[in-house]
Amino acid sequence: MLRLERVCKTYRTSEVETAALDDVSLDVGAGEFLAIMGPSGCGKSTLLNVLGLIDSPSSGAYWFIGEDLARCAEEQLTLHRRARVGFVFQNFNLIDDLNVAENVEVALLYIGVPRAERRSRVAEALERVGLAHRQHHMPKQLSGGQQQRVAVARALVTRPKLLLADEPTGNLDTANGDAVLDLLTQINRSGTTIVMVTHSAEHAKRAHRIVHMLDGRIVDEQEIELAC
Amino acid sequence: MLGNYFAAAIRNLLRSRAYTLINLFGLSLGFAATILIALYVRHEYNYDRFIENHERIYRVGVYIEPPGRSAIRLSVSSTTDAEALKLAFPEIEVATRLARANQRLFRNADNEGATVASYWADPNFFEVFPLRPLAGNLANALSKPDGVVVTRRAAHQLFARENVIGETVRVGQGTVMRVAAVVEDLPSNSHLDCEVFLPGLARVSALTKAAEEQSRPGALRSENAYTYIRLRAGASVDGVRARLRAFTDSHVPGTMNGSPLSKAYTFTLTPIADIHLEPRSVGEPKPGADVRVLNALLAVTLLILFVACGNFVSMMTARAARRAVEVGVRKAVGATRQQLMIQFAGEALFYALLAMIPAVMTVEFVLPAFNGFLRREITFNYLVDPMLALGLGALMVFTGLLAGAYPASYLSRFKPAAVLRGATLLPNSIRVRQLLVVFQFAILVSLLIATLTVNRQIQYAIEDRLRLPTEQIYIGSAAARCPPAFAGAVSTLKGVKAASCASNSGLGFGHFSAILSSPGDGHTVAARAAPIDYEFFKVFGIEPLAGRLLSAQYGQDDMLRKDSAARENPTLVLNEAGARAIGYSIPSEAVGKFARWQRGAIVDGQMQILGMASSKIAGVVPDFSIGSVRDEIEPTAYYIDNLPFSRVVIRFDGGSFVQQILESARNLWAQQQSTTRLDGQFLDQYVNALYVDVIAQSTIFLVFSGVAVVLAALGLLGLAIFTVERRTKEIGLRKVMGARRNDILLFLGWQFTRPVLWANLIAWPCAYFVMQRWLQSFAYHTNIGLSTFVIAGSSALGIALATVAAHAVMVARAKPVEALRCE
């Protein structure tokens, strides 16, 4: 489904050049649950951003569902991203001025879903994450775990082929973190490809495969035997 | 989608209430100022457009350029021109006339009189100016020699009610006339100031008398009627103008200094809708507008709006960090940059709409006072005036889009990858805000310099130039001649320093031409002839620069008093300009010399220009005029004459009971002139009226400066709050490293002093250039001193420091650990 071929990503300022990704090649199959691990600054989030089409590689190829999008302009990436990619961030990134339902609805606004259908899909997504009863609450009225579940609902409501989670449990306690992972696992079982960046080895074991990164490179891969 | 955008916009507004209020207040203030000035300018540009077929109606004026004399533009023409034009030009559908009536009107039932603006009008006047009748038949109201038409206002003034058909009025002390119709008041945007229309057909009418005068053989033209023509539909005024020269040659007989008089005459046709904006001409019923001032007001309005928009931009981008996550999320889920720009531009429009509502309410609230100050009747009926409603909408949309463009562009540029992991904002936003503050303060400083300069010029014109106690000098006028005995009697009243009968020309109101001939090479110069009496110079405190003043002790001084028909010329006193004009740059050189000059005199009941004759120059006095400093003081020849003077000048002692003494003077006048009344005004009132436009400009600049102060202060406050928020960590670290409170205050103070210093660098040359050009429109003007710039610059600095002081003190007092913990 996804293929990175010798991808590099370099950030340049007037004084400094930083190689965030260095000759990275990676395949992700449809329906796979991939975990990416590594120390801070190894390029995990950059890799996720490239996979999610919110950043472009400096060189190399990126085949996204059969198309090489490595050289596309931002506008084209946006169009490809729509309804295909969902995001879950470490710091939730809910919009403070919108309530729960409106936050989830945002993802549907830009793909032309009619109003009535938007309502039903939002309700369905909130039901799935167990927060339908909080749909009119504002983000500040929710706990961290609840906010992250809203973020998951927002990511799911477009029925994406790919869900990217950047340390989704990083700001949560153990219980909430486990709850979010349970959710992601369920989502993966229903067919959504998930790529998750995490510091937690326990959570990484929920994936099918773990990729280790160091200094912008993939240094190790590990298949996980799932308990049936 | 709109619902989602709207929800985000509303809640963002409510979340930052203080910012929202500041932002809306600034924008609202800018809107209100813009609307008020736009209403005023629109009012000034729309004079007389309410008259049906105004585009075909023209006023006939005259431009006279006598050889060797200064040209004069008149808004009046001869009473014979209307009929002559209609006969000569088939394009003219109808011609009509007005002539000012100087008589006072009285209710016939008693002696209660009123001074209302009344005019003698031709019977067909309302055919050209179809005013709205409230009662009576307007079509034939003036067809009878005793039918009068009054406005609603005049009806209330004379009779304290509106239904006055059939009521009688006395014109002066004699003729009784009857109210035949009542019309709606003329709006303030009309060049006419008529309240009462008297029948031009009446025997006592100025139109009838002028016609009789003109019909005498050898009678000179006199320009004393307002003549209006209406062209036929489809007729071209250019065709009429092209044949006016031939008409002038055939219609203006006589000679002037050997040349045909017609060569000095040019008839002008002014569309009535342009009269108010044309350059000043003699005889205008009302002061006109100066297009340059209107344009300057519009420019200032745009600057104010720019300042208000600048605040809006500054506030919106300062709060951008709070919207960064939203932008990142929306982009992550598929929003394009254009969609985000539309969202934020829409928010700006919504802000503009919210600001427009209180702005409209403010305008409605202050409009009565605004009208009172400007002496106008500007309306603000946006519900029934589609152009006004459209204008308000356009202002709102234009401002919203203009002000919202940069924030929309800036916010929509955020890279989702950066903002979603909490990266800092793009670096150039602070620079844009600093630039905006610099320009806001540059505008503020410029307005302060303009205000100070205008005030200085007013002070110069009213106080410095005349050097007279203007509140102690009374200038009276009456339709009848001022008897010399009256002035003598008044001067003996206790509390009166001096009294003089004076001619209009002597005072500078009218223009009585003379031609002076240089004794050296004989070249002639145009001059003002100023017939005076012996008390004139004493009343105004004028002392000679050289020689002596005129005196009854000298027979040649008094020549015309003894023999008014004499052809010789009496002794002269020249002003400095007059002495210079005939070759005497040092006043004392002119004393005792002889100057040849021509003067006007009444011969056989008619005004004639006599031939050149010599006069001895007895003295030279300083250039003096109570006229406007816009006009250069002409060479002036003062002499004692027996002509009918219609002005009385009375100078009181300081501290006298002026009103009581004035009443005594009026009683003396009534004893000597039972048919007329002595009315007038004090010199300070007259001078203030001369400069009412400049005073109004000064006040407007003052108000706008106040608005600019508020807006600039708001902008700086916003920048201050943002800057401090951004540098919270830095301030905390400075404190940890030992900075004291005063060190922090100095540090923050310098941050906000720099934009003001830059603003001064921009404002000073720009303001100097503009105000210097304005001052040069006056023949006599003050100078823009360095102190003006220093006062304006230091005031702006003071405003800036006062604005940020409270916030800076609060920050300087905060504990460093709070700042570091916050980070």
Side-chain angles (χ1 to χ4, degrees):
Chain A
M1 179 179 167
L2 311 174
R3 171 173 287 177
L4 292 167
E5 286 182 359
R6 307 197 66 181
V7 162
C8 297
K9 177 65 183 180
T10 308
Y11 292 105
R12 289 188 179 89
T13 64
S14 54
E15 288 97 21
V16 176
E17 188 174 291
T18 307
L21 294 176
D22 184 9
D23 201 25
V24 169
S25 296
L26 179 68
D27 281 324
V28 180
E32 187 176 357
F33 190 159
L34 178 71
I36 303 175
M37 295 187 72
S40 293
C42 71
K44 308 187 296 295
S45 295
T46 306
L47 177 59
L48 214 65
N49 290 338
V50 170
L51 287 172
L53 301 175
I54 58 174
D55 206 350
S56 300
S58 305
S59 65
Y62 174 36
W63 297 85
F64 179 84
I65 311 178
E67 285 184 76
D68 181 5
L69 303 181
R71 303 287 165 259
C72 282
E74 187 182 336
E75 289 291 303
Q76 287 173 297
L77 293 180
T78 301
L79 297 173
H80 281 287
R81 204 161 53 233
R82 281 179 181 176
R84 286 166 150 190
V85 182
F87 291 88
V88 179
F89 303 97
Q90 178 180 3
N91 52 358
F92 323 136
N93 281 330
L94 297 184
I95 300 172
D96 290 334
D97 293 325
L98 300 177
N99 64 25
V100 165
E102 287 162 351
N103 263 285
V104 175
E105 190 191 22
V106 165
L108 296 174
L109 294 178
Y110 303 102
I111 57 175
V113 175
R115 192 175 178 180
E117 190 182 338
R118 288 205 305 264
R119 280 192 188 154
S120 64
R121 283 169 71 164
V122 164
E124 178 193 324
L126 286 173
E127 193 65 50
R128 196 165 173 189
V129 302
L131 285 175
H133 61 294
R134 298 281 207 163
Q135 62 176 314
H136 296 300
H137 284 68
M138 303 301 286
K140 281 184 181 166
Q141 295 174 294
L142 305 179
S143 68
Q146 289 171 329
Q147 289 190 53
Q148 194 62 298
R149 280 152 61 190
V150 172
V152 170
R154 181 179 64 192
L156 285 182
V157 76
T158 57
R159 297 169 191 160
K161 289 185 169 24
L162 174 67
L163 193 150
L164 301 172
D166 191 351
E167 301 201 42
T169 61
N171 285 356
L172 301 176
D173 57 37
T174 310
N176 279 313
D178 288 344
V180 169
L181 252 299
D182 288 342
L183 208 47
L184 291 178
T185 307
Q186 281 174 28
I187 291 165
N188 176 247
R189 282 187 187 140
S190 61
T192 304
T193 306
I194 296 181
V195 178
M196 178 180 74
V197 165
T198 184
H199 275 303
S200 166
E202 281 302 311
H203 290 158
K205 285 176 188 172
R206 300 276 202 110
H208 298 139
R209 180 163 56 118
I210 302 174
V211 163
H212 294 272
M213 290 187 69
L214 181 65
D215 293 336
R217 287 174 168 260
I218 294 177
V219 295
D220 189 26
E221 282 189 34
Q222 182 185 347
E223 296 281 341
I224 303 296
E225 282 183 15
L226 293 175
C228 298
Chain B
M1 186 182 279
L2 284 179
N4 192 278
Y5 290 169
F6 191 68
I10 289 283
R11 290 177 198 147
N12 185 50
L13 283 181
L14 292 174
R15 184 157 49 111
S16 318
R17 286 194 177 90
Y19 270 103
T20 302
L21 280 173
I22 291 173
N23 222 359
L24 288 180
F25 175 71
L27 206 51
S28 208
L29 189 61
F31 277 158
T34 302
I35 293 169
L36 280 170
I37 291 304
L39 285 174
Y40 171 64
V41 172
R42 185 177 89 147
H43 182 274
E44 295 300 289
Y45 271 102
N46 279 290
Y47 265 55
D48 296 303
R49 289 178 198 266
F50 65 95
I51 301 287
E52 197 180 328
N53 299 313
H54 67 84
E55 60 278 352
R56 290 195 275 138
I57 303 173
Y58 297 82
R59 188 179 67 184
V60 181
V62 176
Y63 186 70
I64 307 174
E65 294 171 281
R69 302 185 190 186
S70 49
I72 183 167
R73 185 191 302 270
L74 300 174
S75 58
V76 289
S77 60
S78 170
T79 50
T80 61
D81 289 339
E83 193 177 335
L85 283 164
K86 186 146 183 342
L87 284 171
F89 295 93
E91 294 96 328
I92 296 175
E93 187 175 65
V94 60
T96 192
R97 301 167 304 170
L98 279 181
R100 199 188 296 270
N102 292 321
Q103 295 89 336
R104 208 170 147 78
L105 297 185
F106 297 86
R107 282 207 302 259
N108 196 33
D110 51 45
N111 278 326
E112 192 62 37
T115 303
V116 290
S118 45
Y119 287 76
W120 301 101
D122 276 338
N124 65 352
F125 178 79
F126 295 110
E127 191 183 331
V128 179
F129 291 90
L131 302 183
R132 191 166 79 87
L134 298 176
N137 186 351
L138 210 54
N140 57 15
L142 296 177
S143 302
K144 293 180 184 172
D146 67 342
V148 163
V149 177
V150 300
T151 61
R152 183 204 301 263
R153 191 179 297 125
H156 279 279
Q157 207 170 343
L158 286 166
F159 300 100
R161 63 181 198 280
E162 199 171 296
N163 54 335
V164 295
I165 298 292
E167 290 287 349
T168 50
V169 292
R170 260 184 303 127
V171 180
Q173 294 289 353
T175 314
V176 175
M177 299 189 176
R178 198 171 297 273
V179 178
V182 181
V183 291
E184 185 58 85
D185 296 331
L186 280 163
S188 61
N189 57 345
S190 171
H191 77 284
L192 297 169
D193 67 344
C194 312
E195 299 287 356
V196 174
F197 299 88
L198 301 168
L201 291 176
R203 272 203 57 79
V204 297
S205 132
L207 292 173
T208 305
K209 287 184 177 176
E212 288 170 358
E213 191 72 35
Q214 295 291 285
S215 64
R216 289 186 196 168
L220 288 177
R221 262 184 78 95
S222 64
E223 324 294 336
N224 49 18
Y226 299 97
T227 304
Y228 299 91
I229 58 170
R230 187 177 69 210
L231 300 185
R232 297 182 194 285
S236 162
V237 69
D238 293 332
V240 175
R241 287 191 175 123
R243 302 192 325 264
L244 272 176
R245 173 44 53 193
F247 170 81
T248 311
D249 291 340
S250 64
H251 184 65
V252 180
T255 60
M256 180 187 282
N257 297 335
S259 301
L261 186 62
S262 61
K263 295 301 175 205
Y265 267 68
T266 305
F267 282 99
T268 59
L269 297 179
T270 307
I272 57 167
D274 292 351
I275 288 172
H276 185 62
L277 299 172
E278 287 280 303
R280 287 187 309 154
S281 47
V282 176
E284 286 289 357
K286 281 184 183 178
D290 188 333
V291 174
R292 293 170 304 177
V293 171
L294 296 179
N295 291 339
L297 282 174
L298 283 177
V300 168
T301 303
L302 287 175
L303 289 175
I304 294 289
L305 203 56
F306 172 82
V307 172
C309 290
N311 280 348
F312 181 84
V313 170
S314 190
M315 292 286 188
M316 287 282 278
T317 49
R319 308 298 285 173
R322 293 181 179 233
R323 309 297 294 275
V325 166
E326 180 182 349
V327 171
V329 167
R330 288 185 187 269
K331 278 199 165 184
V333 300
T336 61
R337 193 177 170 207
Q338 284 81 4
Q339 286 172 312
L340 287 168
M341 285 183 68
I342 289 169
Q343 176 189 349
F344 292 119
E347 275 191 35
L349 274 174
F350 180 60
Y351 256 107
L353 174 64
L354 288 181
M356 182 59 78
I357 296 168
V360 166
M361 291 165 61
T362 302
V363 169
E364 286 183 341
F365 181 72
V366 305
L367 192 61
F370 190 64
N371 275 331
F373 168 70
L374 291 171
R375 296 187 225 175
R376 299 286 192 270
E377 290 161 10
I378 301 168
T379 56
F380 186 47
N381 298 324
Y382 46 89
L383 293 176
V384 299
D385 184 342
M387 290 306 294
L388 185 55
L390 203 64
L392 290 175
L395 175 64
M396 187 185 75
V397 169
F398 175 76
T399 307
L401 290 178
L402 183 71
Y406 176 72
S409 168
Y410 175 73
L411 286 165
S412 62
R413 258 188 284 158
F414 292 166
K415 295 265 188 274
V419 298
L420 290 173
R421 56 180 158 86
T424 53
L425 295 174
L426 298 173
N428 63 356
S429 65
I430 181 67
R431 290 230 176 91
V432 170
R433 279 194 287 285
Q434 284 172 337
L435 269 175
L436 280 171
V437 168
V438 167
F439 278 111
Q440 285 171 337
F441 270 84
I443 291 168
L444 168 63
V445 170
S446 301
L447 283 175
L448 287 175
I449 292 172
T451 305
L452 288 168
T453 305
V454 171
N455 275 330
R456 184 73 194 93
Q457 176 63 7
I458 290 172
Q459 187 186 5
Y460 171 81
I462 292 176
E463 295 173 15
D464 297 354
R465 185 129 174 80
L466 281 179
R467 292 199 176 92
L468 286 173
T470 52
E471 73 284 359
Q472 293 171 15
I473 297 177
Y474 182 82
I475 301 179
S477 66
R481 169 185 167 167
C482 169
F486 170 74
V490 169
S491 60
T492 62
L493 290 175
K494 191 178 174 187
V496 173
K497 193 166 182 178
S500 163
C501 290
S503 62
N504 282 330
S505 187
L507 289 173
F509 293 156
H511 186 91
F512 205 21
S513 294
I515 293 185
L516 281 172
S517 172
S518 166
D521 54 14
H523 78 271
T524 57
V525 295
R528 175 195 296 276
I532 58 174
D533 70 4
Y534 292 108
E535 297 299 303
F536 180 85
F537 291 122
K538 184 178 175 184
V539 161
F540 289 108
I542 298 172
E543 295 293 335
L545 293 172
R548 62 171 179 83
L549 299 176
L550 298 168
S551 167
Q553 295 175 6
Y554 297 86
Q556 200 63 14
D557 291 13
D558 208 42
M559 188 193 80
L560 291 179
R561 287 268 173 105
K562 295 189 179 90
D563 179 8
S564 59
R567 295 281 174 156
E568 299 85 20
N569 283 343
T571 309
L572 278 184
V573 164
L574 296 180
N575 67 351
E576 286 176 274
R580 261 198 314 274
I582 58 170
Y584 300 110
S585 54
I586 300 173
S588 58
E589 289 176 353
V591 177
K593 301 293 192 299
F594 284 83
R596 287 172 60 77
W597 62 296
Q598 277 182 306
R599 62 180 172 90
I602 293 181
V603 178
D604 297 331
Q606 294 186 40
M607 178 59 67
Q608 287 188 13
I609 306 297
L610 303 179
M612 279 281 192
S614 282
S615 284
K616 189 171 180 179
I617 300 170
V620 177
V621 292
D623 287 336
F624 168 78
S625 171
I626 62 172
S628 169
V629 292
R630 279 206 167 89
D631 304 322
E632 208 155 326
I633 297 178
E634 294 174 278
T636 305
Y638 298 96
Y639 63 98
I640 304 296
D641 200 345
N642 213 29
L643 286 173
F645 295 161
S646 58
R647 300 279 181 177
V648 172
V649 186
I650 305 171
R651 182 162 176 171
F652 299 94
D653 287 336
S656 341
F657 293 103
V658 163
Q659 289 302 329
Q660 289 167 334
I661 301 170
L662 203 51
E663 203 49 45
S664 301
R666 285 202 178 107
N667 290 337
L668 276 174
W669 178 271
Q671 287 167 19
Q672 298 192 19
Q673 287 283 355
S674 59
T675 57
T676 61
R677 178 188 154 91
L678 182 67
D679 284 320
Q681 57 184 349
F682 282 85
L683 185 55
D684 60 343
Q685 295 171 305
Y686 167 73
V687 172
N688 283 341
L690 266 184
Y691 302 112
V692 66
D693 57 336
V694 180
I695 293 171
Q697 288 168 33
S698 164
T699 307
I700 288 174
F701 273 115
L702 194 64
V703 169
F704 271 107
S705 294
V707 171
V709 163
V710 171
L711 292 176
L714 284 177
L716 190 62
L717 181 63
L719 181 68
I721 293 171
F722 170 76
T723 302
V724 166
E725 276 182 4
R726 245 180 99 245
R727 302 178 91 148
T728 302
K729 184 176 176 181
E730 178 188 349
I731 294 170
L733 284 170
R734 282 174 182 262
K735 285 186 153 189
V736 166
M737 285 186 278
R740 294 167 302 169
R741 191 181 303 170
N742 285 348
D743 297 324
I744 300 297
L745 284 174
L746 275 171
F747 167 69
L748 289 174
W750 175 238
Q751 299 300 309
F752 304 119
T753 302
R754 266 187 313 179
V756 179
L757 293 177
W758 281 109
N760 276 283
L761 275 180
I762 296 169
W764 286 17
C766 295
Y768 177 80
F769 175 74
V770 171
M771 295 317 293
Q772 192 64 17
R773 286 190 66 178
W774 179 76
L775 284 173
Q776 280 163 3
S777 69
F778 294 86
Y780 306 94
H781 59 81
T782 184
N783 293 317
I784 311 177
L786 183 61
S787 60
T788 301
F789 297 97
V790 170
I791 292 171
S794 50
S795 299
L797 189 61
I799 291 164
L801 292 175
T803 302
V804 302
H807 195 68
V809 165
M810 191 176 70
V811 166
R813 278 187 184 162
K815 291 184 180 156
V817 68
E818 298 292 340
L820 294 171
R821 184 180 300 153
C822 170
E823 289 296 305

